[in-house]
Amino acid sequence: MFGAVPLLILPFVLYNLGLLGLFDGGDDPWMTEMFSFRMMSGGVFSMTLGDLMVLIGLIFLFVEISKSVRTTNASILDHLLSTLVFIAFLVEFLLVKGAAHSVFFTLMIIALFDVLAGFSVSMRSASRDINLN
């Protein structure tokens, strides 16, 4: 049953926790530098909390696409819930002032790709499962 839960709900929840002030970043918690280190080239690589959120979203997108190749009843529920997660992203983006941020927009597009890729991959794999006698 937990396999049907879309993982992209976690970045959605984490972003909203950040809006509530859980990450103590002031006005823009997503610009908080998580770590940085000097490269051999002399440049400095740094990762912000927003970059980390997008990275987490991309990792979960990979797992969601891997889950979408299943053709079970749980995968249908997973696609439905993924669509609801995208709708929640979209509604919050349009209606909540704190969601008008490039990090949230990128996470919303990742959720859209999850929905589109999930339906595309499952339709493609389901068409291969049809046996004609």
Side-chain angles (χ1 to χ4, degrees), residues 55-124:
L55 182 63
I56 290 169
L58 287 172
I59 291 168
F60 287 155
L61 176 64
F62 172 76
V63 174
E64 286 294 317
I65 290 174
S66 299
K67 284 179 12 181
S68 68
V69 298
R70 299 176 302 175
T71 54
T72 63
N73 290 340
S75 67
I76 294 169
L77 181 62
D78 184 36
H79 296 319
L80 177 67
L81 293 175
S82 293
T83 304
L84 292 177
V85 168
F86 169 68
I87 290 170
F89 267 109
L90 183 62
V91 167
E92 185 168 341
F93 180 70
L94 295 173
L95 300 178
V96 177
K97 183 179 180 181
H101 196 281
S102 61
V103 172
F104 192 82
F105 180 77
T106 304
L107 292 172
M108 182 181 68
I109 296 301
I110 289 172
L112 174 63
F113 285 169
D114 175 34
V115 171
L116 296 176
F119 282 117
S120 301
V121 169
S122 64
M123 282 191 289
R124 183 80 140 166

